[in-house]
Amino acid sequence: MLSAADTVWWCNVFKTLGDPVRLKLLVQLAERAGAEAAVHELADVGVSPATVSHHLKRLRSIGLIESRRDGRLVYYRLGVGVRSALMQILHQRSQVGV
């Protein structure tokens, strides 16, 4: 049974990942296997770099990704445990055959 706080958190996660651009960004970071990436390295998702930054901020706000500033650049990586959870979900989908 989920607590009220957990229910709200999961609703925010699913709502956040319901946007195709945010999901693409999350998958791109997952493919980097823990390596960091700056906005300009993730910009190949069909939107402007400013929009990429906005989407990354949303992913960071719920804890799916982490960031580190180095001068003018901000580097992003998946949050702890997020890559394995994402890979399990994607693997499960391939097993179901949907």
Side-chain angles (χ1 to χ4, degrees), residues 12-52:
N12 284 328
V13 167
F14 290 126
K15 184 177 179 181
T16 298
L17 294 179
D19 183 285
V21 172
R22 287 192 285 264
L23 185 57
K24 286 178 189 177
L25 289 169
L26 194 69
V27 169
Q28 280 187 15
L29 288 170
E31 289 172 345
R32 291 176 171 268
E36 297 176 324
V39 170
H40 69 274
E41 297 173 293
L42 300 168
D44 188 23
V45 289
V47 296
S48 72
T51 304
V52 169

Side-chain angles (χ1 to χ4, degrees), residues 34-79:
E36 297 176 324
V39 170
H40 69 274
E41 297 173 293
L42 300 168
D44 188 23
V45 289
V47 296
S48 72
T51 304
V52 169
S53 290
H54 172 76
H55 285 300
L56 290 169
K57 182 179 178 182
R58 177 81 185 265
L59 290 167
R60 190 181 73 222
S61 73
I62 62 171
L64 293 177
I65 65 172
E66 300 170 350
S67 64
R68 173 184 67 84
R69 181 173 290 279
D70 185 11
R72 294 183 66 210
L73 292 176
V74 178
Y75 293 92
Y76 297 91
R77 68 182 170 281
L78 285 184

